[in-house]
Structure formats: structure tokens, C-alpha cells
Amino acid sequence: MGHDRTSSILCSKPVTKYRFSSDHISHEVKMNDKKSAISYFKHLKGKKRNINTVEFNTCVNELMSHRDSGFSEGEIETLIDALINIEYLASVKFQQLLSCCVPRTKVSSKAVLGILHWIFTYFHSKPFGSVTKALDWIIGLVEFRLTDEKTVHAFYQHFFMLLRIDKLAVFACKLIHLLTSPADILRWRVCLVLKAEQMFGKTRHTSALLCLFKSYKPECVPENTVAINLQLAFRSVGKMNSVFEKVQSRLNATHDERTHTENIVWDCAQGLKRTTKRKKLGAIPPIDYVHFGSELYREKKKKLVSEFKTMESLCLHQLNLDMPCNAMSLLQNTAGIHIITFEGRSLQIRLSYNMYHTLYAAFLEQNSDYSYEEKQNLLERIVALEEYMQQGIPVVSRFLAEYMHRWDGDDFRDMIFRLLPWITFMTFSELKDLILDNIRTLFVTSSVEVKSSIIVMLSRFVQNLICVILNRRREELPNLFLDYSDSIECSTTETLQNIIQFISDLCSCGLTLEQGNYILFHESLKFFEMISFLEEKYKLPMWSMMPPAVVYNGLFSTNAVFMSRVCKLLYRYLNVTYVALRKMGLRKKFSQEVHRLDLYITDFINCLQKSKCFEKKEDGYIFEDMPDKHIEDLSLYTTANRALELKNHFALLPYMSCVGSDPVLHYEAFDEEDVMLLIHTFFPDIIQLITCEHL
């Protein structure tokens, strides 16, 4: 910690640093300040001299007064660093100062590592009171999850060393009991506990530890090990538990996200309202098991999935899990989704069968027994599964193909739009007939917001095809669900181009219907920006160019930002996409795109820079077929060729007006160079395009 203002003032006084007599403590030290007290201990570190008891106690009392509110991670690190490095610190003072180290939220790994290193360096030489206090402090942090348990678990084997010291054995047993997982239990570790019992006789804490080992691996522990009450076994441990419990309560009260992701909650989707009173399983049933015969005669006892409360413990025993009767019950949470993803083909086949029939019964049967809330929850969990696997599920795609032509476009829209980007298909014609035609109908008849959502959804679909399916095929990576192999056609260049052309047509249609609405224009432009980036990144032999509706909505936009984005993308086509395709030897294949790009750039230069948009209309695209009569009519209101130049363009007028109103730079004296400099300052992409050497 750096010096704060108060400690700096104290250090500047003409007295010896922190050598205060008891007569003027209140005047010199001002120990009613928490930061000053922490700074006091920081300066004691490494000092080879006796400590003034009055000063020390005053600072400790100040810290104790702030213990209920806790200290930050940095403050705890400072106190721990001072604690383990102060010379000649008596055991009582050590314990007093460590009792003050209560976190506001959590203790950093750095502070915990400092104490652990100190323990295993000095547990033979330091007073037992100091060592037991340090162990008790670590126990409280682990028990109430106030630090990263992995940091303490790194010393798991070291705690067995402490079993050979009678006064430290109970603390070591408690820590081992807290940290032990089934994978930690080995025969030689059990032998270490048994040797401790031979040295000091059977004790409650060693019996409790052996009992825990036996519950996990009974074959490693003597049969005569009996259960024992844990409160009695460790009643001498946990002197700071009441303080740490308050910290945990404070964390829970603040609804910190970290406190809610610790444990797996099973059967969390139960209790949803049913539409009928008939007793029938919900869309996502509870975890149920049916076992035939006695467990005594099974070759190997497997663990029930509901036994696991953390992802770490679940992953450790993933190869020894007993699957519930209905695979659909695993959709309840992330842990179940993880099991579905990696358990294997047999479980996934069961899940596919149950999932399709549940979806059919819930959404396609006329007399569904499922409530709207239950259907929504089912779709949410399927979305979570597909996004976790980064792969579509064939039976879900089949359901969507049957459901789309009945869908009203409103119910469950968010979930449907998150399922569609992962849809599986064999051919483009199949995709078009079953899905895309229905999407086009919905697009044309829906509001601007829904149109924009459809463009976003289709953008994700194309992104998945390129980034996931195509890349997975290139890297020869297997699919996680059913070893499902996508058809060759679904990720070919021709199929991608057909899908992108479909989206391009929707963008043109939407911008025409909605008269260039900015929300829809933004999503359309964002789509072509993404495609251009992906074509370059994955070196695709494609050129997905913006349609005229997007390009000229940018040129005629009243928003200079949109114009700048269109200019930037056109310049990228010229200097990135065209160059990359030419290196691939594909220049002739995309000759039409090259010609169209030349027309686009010519129109931008003639309009914005040369002021010849109508004079040389045959050189461009948008004004080529414009009748001369329309140009003459326009000339009655303004100078036609100069209407769209930089100085007069309606998207840039606000910037020109600001300069024109400046008393120093008058608008009349604002020449072409000044205009170019101004636009270059605010929108360099526009200047970059209209000054480039185009094709």
C-alpha cells in the first residue's frame, strides 16, 4: 500500500518515525485512523528492535473497531506481509494482529500463500500458539469460502506432515477433512493417519478423518473405523468462525454472482405451473433412478449425479456416473448439460428420442399438457445445450422445420431466434424450403424491430457456419453430439454464397420497405462488415459485396457515421478483399464484383469530391438511368452537381455550420482544403475512399 495523506503528514513531523511515548500517543499518532494503523504495522516490518506495547495495542484496537466491516484485499495483504516479517513479535501480539485480518469480501491468494509459507517454514521453531492461530485462520477461510480453495489445496500433502505434531494434528485433520476429494484418497495417505494414531493413540479428529476416507473409498480404510460426531471431533477448531460467518452472510446479502455459482442445484425447474391436473411428468422431469436387484451384487457402484454439488467434483467422477432414467432431466443445469455433451452416444440417442417427442407434444399437438412457462423453460434449456456444445441437434432442427410454418412469429420468438443459428441441414434447397422461405414471409410482414432481429439471427447463423462448422471440418475436429457429421454441402462455398445472397436480398427488401430505417441499416451494415472480416480471416474464395441498397443508403444518409462506415467497407473491399482474391488467382472469377466496386467508388468520388455526380452519371451506377428531365427539375432548387459535395452534403452540414458560425473562421473563407481537413479530422474513412486510386 502507498502512503496516504495522513501517514505522509505523520512521517513529515520532526520526531522519530513511530517512536512515540505513551504520554503523547493521542497527539502524535492519531491512531483513530485505520489507514494510519495499517501504515504503522507496515513500517514495523523488518525492524530489529523491541515493539512499544502501548503503540501496538492502540493500533490493534483501531483495527478491531473496523473488523466488522472488514478490510480490502490490499489491506489484508499489507497486514499479513507485516505480520510474518516483524522481528521479535511475541505470540500474543501475533495472534492479536491475525485476529484483525478479516476480509470485506475475500482474501487474495497472495495473502494466503504468505501465511502458508510461514507455517511450513517455522512450525518447528515458532510458538505453537502462533502456528495454531495461523492454521485456524486458514481453516475459517476455506470453510466459509473466503479464498480460492485451490491455493490451499496445493499444500494438501504438506498438512499430513503436521499430523506428527500432537498440538497441530487436530488443525491439520480439519484442513484435510475440508479439502479432501475422492481422488485425494490413497492407501499411503491413510497409512500416515494410522501412524499418527499409533504415536498419540486414537483421537476423535483422526477417527473423523478416517471415517471420511472410508465413505469415499472403503477398500482403503480399516473396517473397524466407526463414525464420529464432527462437532465433537473439531470443537477446539474454528475460534474465528463467528467472524467469518458474518463475512459470508454479507456476501450472500449482496447477491454477489460468485456466491451463486459455487453449488449445483438439481431439480431447479420443478414446480412449474401445469395446464391440467393430470399427473404427468413435466417437460424437464426430475432426477429419478430405477434399479433392479441388490446393490450388493453390482460389479461396481456408480455415483448418482445428484450427489455432486460442484462442477469440479462432478468432472473428477465423470467416468463413474449412474445416468438417470430420463435423459431429459439432465437439462436442468450446466452440470447436466456437461454430462450430456461428454457422456457418449448411448445417452445422446436416448435424449434425442425423448427430446423430439417432448417438443412435438408441447408445441405441435393441439391439446398440449404443458404451460407456456414450461414450454419457454424447455426451449431455454435446449438453447443452453446447443450453445454449450457449439453444435445443432438434428431432432431440434426437425422440430423447427415442422414448427416454422405454424409459428405466428411472436410466441417464444427470442428462443426460436437463438435455436435457428444452430440448425442442421443437408442441402441449401432443403434449408430454403423448410426454414428460409418462412423467415422471408415473417420478415416482410413484421415490424422494424423484428426485421432487425431476423438479420441479427441470420448473421449468427452464417457466423456459426464459418467459424464453427467450416473451421471444425478444416481442423478435423469431431462433433460432440452423436458424432454427427455435417453434410459436405452445408459448408461449401456455394452454399454459403446462397445463404449470404438470401440475407443480402432481405437487407435490400427491408431498407426499401422501411425507407432506410437506421436500426435496420445498422444491422445490415454490421452483417457485411462481419462477412468481410470472416472472408479475410478464413481465406474464403468469396466476395460478399454490399448490395446497392446498403451502399447508397450510406451515400444519401443524413448521418455521417453511416456514410463513414460504408466508405470504410468499400475501401476494405479495394485494398483487402480484392488483393487477397487476386493472390488466390480468382480475379477473373469476380470480375463482376470488381466492376461494381468501381462504379460504387466512382459515384462517391463524383458526388463528394468532384461535384460531377450528374454531369458524369454514365460513369457511375445510381444516376446512370436517371432521366434528364428529373435533373433539370432538381436544378430549379439547387445546383444539382454540387448538392452532394462535402461542403453541402446534408450529413456533413452540422459540422460545416459549426465552423461557419466561428467568428475567426468565417464560412465564406472556408475553401476546399479546409473542408478536406475538417472531414479528415472527424471522418478519415470518407477522405481515404474519395482520394484513393480506385480500379
Side-chain angles (χ1 to χ4, degrees):
M1 289 178 59
H3 292 290
D4 53 61
R5 182 174 179 272
T6 306
S7 59
S8 298
I9 293 172
L10 291 174
C11 291
S12 65
K13 291 181 180 295
V15 294
T16 303
K17 290 184 180 179
Y18 299 104
R19 284 183 72 103
F20 307 111
S21 66
S22 58
D23 296 332
H24 53 269
I25 286 176
S26 60
H27 174 69
E28 294 287 353
V29 185
K30 301 288 185 183
M31 284 306 173
N32 58 345
D33 188 285
K34 179 181 70 173
K35 292 183 179 180
S36 297
I38 294 174
S39 184
Y40 168 79
F41 290 113
K42 181 179 179 180
H43 284 78
L44 284 181
K45 186 177 71 171
K47 301 294 183 181
K48 294 185 177 181
R49 58 179 174 78
N50 293 328
I51 298 173
N52 187 300
T53 303
V54 178
E55 295 171 4
F56 187 93
N57 290 339
T58 304
C59 293
V60 167
N61 291 335
E62 175 62 27
L63 295 181
M64 288 294 288
S65 66
H66 294 276
R67 192 171 73 164
D68 289 342
S69 58
F71 298 93
S72 66
E73 287 188 5
E75 291 170 338
I76 293 290
E77 288 178 7
T78 301
L79 291 174
I80 294 299
D81 185 48
L83 180 69
I84 60 180
N85 288 288
I86 295 176
E87 297 286 344
Y88 309 113
L89 186 62
S91 179
V92 175
K93 289 184 172 62
F94 182 98
Q95 296 178 53
Q96 288 176 343
L97 184 54
L98 187 56
S99 297
C100 299
C101 297
V102 177
R104 185 174 301 133
T105 53
K106 289 198 173 186
V107 176
S108 66
S109 296
K110 181 180 178 181
V112 173
L113 284 173
I115 284 289
L116 288 170
H117 287 154
W118 180 88
I119 290 172
F120 291 106
T121 303
Y122 298 108
F123 71 91
H124 279 301
S125 57
K126 291 292 183 180
F128 283 119
S130 299
V131 179
T132 55
K133 186 67 177 182
L135 288 169
D136 203 43
W137 188 74
I138 295 292
I139 289 170
L141 295 180
V142 174
E143 190 164 6
F144 293 94
R145 293 176 181 171
L146 301 179
T147 191
D148 185 4
E149 187 176 310
K150 293 179 181 178
T151 303
V152 186
H153 194 278
F155 291 79
Y156 182 80
Q157 178 55 35
H158 292 67
F159 294 122
F160 284 87
M161 297 165 48
L162 304 181
L163 295 178
R164 294 175 294 178
I165 303 175
D166 188 24
K167 294 182 179 179
L168 303 181
V170 62
F171 297 92
C173 284
K174 178 64 175 180
L175 270 171
I176 295 170
H177 196 281
L178 289 172
L179 298 171
T180 294
S181 62
D184 296 319
I185 302 172
L186 303 171
R187 287 184 180 274
W188 63 273
R189 284 177 174 162
V190 175
C191 290
L192 291 177
V193 181
L194 294 175
K195 286 182 181 179
E197 287 193 337
Q198 290 177 358
M199 292 174 61
F200 308 112
K202 286 192 175 182
T203 58
R204 289 173 177 171
H205 46 270
T206 53
S207 297
L209 191 55
L210 289 172
C211 183
L212 175 69
F213 290 173
K214 186 177 181 179
S215 66
Y216 286 138
K217 292 185 178 180
E219 67 277 11
C220 296
V221 183
E223 293 184 6
N224 60 354
T225 301
V226 295
I228 192 168
N229 188 289
L230 293 180
Q231 291 182 349
L232 292 175
F234 300 116
R235 62 182 177 182
S236 60
V237 179
K239 298 294 178 61
M240 293 187 68
N241 281 4
S242 59
V243 180
F244 289 140
E245 189 175 6
K246 291 179 181 178
V247 179
Q248 189 185 56
S249 300
R250 182 166 62 242
L251 284 175
N252 293 336
T254 58
H255 300 285
D256 192 332
E257 185 179 355
R258 292 173 296 179
T259 63
H260 293 284
T261 56
E262 294 284 351
N263 291 334
I264 300 172
V265 180
W266 296 99
D267 293 341
C268 54
Q270 301 310 306
L272 294 174
K273 185 178 179 182
R274 307 286 296 171
T275 56
T276 66
K277 295 183 180 180
R278 284 184 290 173
K279 293 183 179 180
K280 183 178 178 180
L281 285 177
I284 300 179
I287 300 289
D288 286 331
Y289 289 88
V290 174
H291 292 139
F292 298 96
S294 173
E295 294 185 5
L296 297 175
Y297 299 101
R298 293 186 193 173
E299 294 183 2
K300 187 177 181 181
K301 182 179 179 181
K302 294 188 175 182
K303 293 186 175 295
L304 309 182
V305 297
S306 55
E307 294 179 16
F308 299 98
K309 301 302 179 184
T310 63
M311 284 294 295
E312 290 80 4
S313 60
L314 175 67
C315 293
L316 287 172
H317 297 274
Q318 187 169 331
L319 299 178
N320 189 33
L321 295 177
D322 191 6
M323 293 298 109
C325 298
N326 194 331
M328 287 285 290
S329 61
L330 293 172
L331 287 174
Q332 293 180 19
N333 51 39
T334 305
I337 288 174
H338 177 83
I339 295 172
I340 292 171
T341 304
F342 297 103
E343 179 61 25
R345 186 179 181 86
S346 176
L347 176 70
Q348 292 168 354
I349 290 174
R350 288 168 50 198
L351 176 72
S352 297
Y353 179 85
N354 292 333
M355 183 180 291
Y356 176 75
H357 286 281
T358 302
L359 287 169
Y360 189 90
F363 294 90
L364 299 176
E365 287 184 352
Q366 293 183 352
N367 299 321
S368 174
D369 291 332
Y370 303 98
S371 66
Y372 187 94
E373 181 186 8
E374 204 166 1
K375 295 177 185 178
Q376 176 78 9
N377 182 63
L378 174 62
L379 293 179
E380 286 177 356
R381 302 317 304 161
I382 295 175
V383 166
L385 175 61
E386 291 193 334
E387 291 181 349
Y388 188 86
M389 297 189 302
Q390 293 287 285
Q391 180 187 343
I393 300 175
V395 295
V396 176
S397 300
R398 177 182 174 181
F399 156 73
L400 289 172
E402 296 173 343
Y403 182 66
M404 286 296 293
H405 71 279
R406 304 186 187 185
W407 184 41
D408 61 2
D410 188 25
D411 289 340
F412 318 107
R413 184 194 302 147
D414 292 342
M415 292 300 105
I416 297 296
F417 281 178
R418 288 177 65 184
L419 288 172
L420 286 171
W422 295 107
I423 196 167
T424 59
F425 61 97
M426 298 300 293
T427 64
F428 175 74
S429 59
E430 174 189 84
L431 176 68
K432 180 178 178 297
D433 293 341
L434 297 177
I435 301 295
L436 297 184
D437 285 346
N438 293 307
I439 290 177
R440 180 190 286 113
T441 302
L442 176 63
F443 184 88
V444 173
T445 58
S446 60
S447 64
V448 175
E449 290 75 15
V450 177
K451 286 184 173 71
S452 299
S453 298
I454 290 174
I455 298 299
V456 173
M457 179 268 295
L458 292 172
S459 298
R460 290 175 183 162
F461 177 45
V462 174
Q463 189 175 5
N464 290 341
L465 286 176
I466 297 175
C467 299
V468 180
I469 296 178
L470 179 61
N471 188 54
R472 190 176 283 169
R473 188 186 301 278
R474 285 183 176 181
E475 299 293 332
E476 297 182 354
L477 299 174
N479 288 318
L480 296 174
F481 194 85
L482 290 177
D483 298 326
Y484 173 73
S485 178
D486 305 292
S487 69
I488 299 298
E489 185 175 341
C490 80
S491 58
T492 60
T493 301
E494 183 181 357
T495 301
L496 284 172
Q497 287 176 327
N498 288 333
I499 295 171
I500 292 170
Q501 184 60 48
F502 173 82
I503 302 173
S504 179
D505 293 341
L506 285 190
C507 293
S508 300
C509 175
L511 291 171
T512 302
L513 291 174
E514 303 297 340
Q515 299 181 353
N517 180 273
Y518 280 165
I519 299 176
L520 186 58
F521 185 31
H522 165 71
E523 296 300 343
S524 301
L525 192 53
K526 186 178 176 182
F527 168 73
F528 287 101
E529 290 169 342
M530 178 200 73
I531 287 298
S532 178
F533 171 78
L534 293 179
E535 287 174 345
E536 178 198 1
K537 179 179 179 180
Y538 291 97
K539 296 180 174 57
L540 299 177
M542 297 166 47
W543 192 348
S544 305
M545 187 177 291
M546 290 180 289
V550 176
V551 174
Y552 291 102
N553 263 288
L555 178 60
F556 303 139
S557 174
T558 58
N559 189 317
V561 174
F562 285 116
M563 183 194 298
S564 177
R565 288 174 64 185
V566 172
C567 289
K568 182 177 182 179
L569 192 49
L570 289 175
Y571 188 80
R572 180 183 177 86
Y573 289 158
L574 180 65
N575 289 277
V576 178
T577 307
Y578 175 65
V579 173
L581 293 175
R582 190 171 57 188
K583 289 180 179 178
M584 296 181 195
L586 299 174
R587 185 179 184 277
K588 292 184 179 180
K589 179 180 178 181
F590 295 99
S591 57
Q592 292 184 356
E593 284 77 5
V594 172
H595 178 64
R596 199 188 337 160
L597 176 62
D598 185 63
L599 296 178
Y600 289 162
I601 296 177
T602 299
D603 276 334
F604 272 76
I605 293 174
N606 287 341
C607 289
L608 300 176
Q609 185 186 31
K610 294 185 177 180
S611 304
K612 296 180 179 180
C613 54
F614 297 107
E615 183 179 332
K616 295 187 176 182
K617 63 178 184 178
E618 66 280 356
D619 294 342
Y621 175 88
I622 190 67
F623 300 118
E624 182 181 8
D625 298 326
M626 188 173 184
D628 293 336
K629 180 66 170 60
H630 291 175
I631 299 175
E632 293 174 4
D633 293 342
L634 180 62
S635 299
L636 297 175
Y637 303 97
T638 185
T639 304
N641 283 314
R642 301 180 65 86
L644 293 173
E645 67 179 356
L646 288 174
K647 186 176 179 179
N648 298 322
H649 197 288
F650 26 74
L652 302 171
L653 278 178
Y655 304 91
M656 301 301 167
S657 299
C658 289
V659 176
S661 62
D662 194 300
V664 178
L665 297 174
H666 196 267
Y667 185 73
E668 295 298 333
F670 205 61
D671 58 19
E672 184 176 344
E673 270 188 38
D674 297 326
V675 172
M676 297 288 283
L677 180 60
L678 177 67
I679 302 304
H680 185 273
T681 302
F682 289 102
F683 303 105
D685 294 319
I686 297 177
I687 300 300
Q688 191 176 43
L689 179 70
I690 64 177
T691 57
C692 71
E693 295 182 5
H694 62 289
L695 303 173

